[in-house]
Amino acid sequence: MENVTVYTNMFLTWISTFGLNLLSALLAFVIGLYLINWLGRLFNTSMKKGKIDVSLQSFFSSLLMAGLRVLLLITVAGMLGIQTTSFVAIIGALGLAVGLALQGSLANFAGGVLILVFKPFKVGDIIESQGQSGAVIEIQIFNTILLTPDNKTVILANGAVSNNTVVNYSRHGNIRVDISLEIEPQNDMDIIRQIATNACLKHPLVLQDPAPVVNVSKINAGKIAIGICPYAKAHDYWTVFFGAQELIKKAFDEHQIAISQPHFYITQRNSPTTAIA
């Protein structure tokens, strides 16, 4: 009988100490989960109002929820009397090891976050970076995907893109198409300018405003280089580049404009220089 009393007292003592800790830990766990879910919804709402990229919204939300749940579990374990110092040290060491192992990937991730937040370019823009040019078809967390004019897919690491120069051809809304031709010096530049401008404006994708520009770019011996510069939307660059040249060639042929032909100069000893076209 005496043993029963001893065990009963021990059980009651355990209930009064550990049982209360267990009850308070369970209560803290339930309340903590509720608060974490509430904070997660509040965080998602804030990101949507801030127009954060959808892919970043899900990532940041998952990261926040996972971090808060880990903190909650450590707190509950401490309330139960479990020593959490070693767990915190292990988690810190694992985080350091993973960070060192994924250093390059983390740099690309950080670059992707910067691109998605500050938006130096967006999907659909024509950009040039790392020696590659093309239309942006996808911005991922680690990479940016381009489609080149010759229909090749280029994958650029976001870390390199965010830390180097990016040329955005679409930001301004239009782009100048540079066409260079060489004509004979006897041609009248005013007539040339009028014919080339009218030829460019016949192309349906050439913008009326700003109007095409035609100027002398260089004067050489026996020829004049002219720059013909119509404007187009960034996506129409190559279509205008080739189409406008064809229209200019036809217009020059129609008006009998002499395009420069190569000249070869032969010098003979004790005789004047002879030019052969």
mmCIF file of all heavy atoms in Angstrom, residues 41 144 179 266:
data_model
loop_
_atom_site.group_PDB
_atom_site.id
_atom_site.type_symbol
_atom_site.label_atom_id
_atom_site.label_comp_id
_atom_site.label_asym_id
_atom_site.label_seq_id
_atom_site.Cartn_x
_atom_site.Cartn_y
_atom_site.Cartn_z
ATOM 1 N N ARG A 41 -0.871 34.725 -44.699
ATOM 2 C CA ARG A 41 -1.911 35.357 -45.519
ATOM 3 C C ARG A 41 -1.677 36.856 -45.647
ATOM 4 O O ARG A 41 -1.837 37.441 -46.740
ATOM 5 C CB ARG A 41 -3.288 35.077 -44.912
ATOM 6 C CG ARG A 41 -3.735 33.622 -45.018
ATOM 7 C CD ARG A 41 -5.210 33.481 -44.680
ATOM 8 N NE ARG A 41 -5.481 33.869 -43.304
ATOM 9 C CZ ARG A 41 -5.454 33.038 -42.263
ATOM 10 N NH1 ARG A 41 -5.152 31.750 -42.463
ATOM 11 N NH2 ARG A 41 -5.728 33.449 -41.048
ATOM 12 N N THR A 144 17.697 33.371 -67.051
ATOM 13 C CA THR A 144 16.868 34.133 -67.980
ATOM 14 C C THR A 144 16.979 33.457 -69.349
ATOM 15 O O THR A 144 18.082 33.175 -69.812
ATOM 16 C CB THR A 144 17.330 35.594 -68.075
ATOM 17 O OG1 THR A 144 17.116 36.243 -66.817
ATOM 18 C CG2 THR A 144 16.557 36.341 -69.154
ATOM 19 N N ILE A 179 20.757 51.228 -91.911
ATOM 20 C CA ILE A 179 21.047 50.666 -93.227
ATOM 21 C C ILE A 179 22.103 51.542 -93.884
ATOM 22 O O ILE A 179 21.959 52.772 -93.933
ATOM 23 C CB ILE A 179 19.778 50.609 -94.104
ATOM 24 C CG1 ILE A 179 18.712 49.730 -93.432
ATOM 25 C CG2 ILE A 179 20.104 50.090 -95.497
ATOM 26 C CD1 ILE A 179 17.372 49.779 -94.127
ATOM 27 N N ILE A 266 45.221 50.939 -111.107
ATOM 28 C CA ILE A 266 46.453 50.295 -111.562
ATOM 29 C C ILE A 266 47.469 51.387 -111.870
ATOM 30 O O ILE A 266 47.209 52.291 -112.683
ATOM 31 C CB ILE A 266 46.206 49.435 -112.813
ATOM 32 C CG1 ILE A 266 45.173 48.343 -112.496
ATOM 33 C CG2 ILE A 266 47.508 48.824 -113.307
ATOM 34 C CD1 ILE A 266 44.777 47.520 -113.696
#
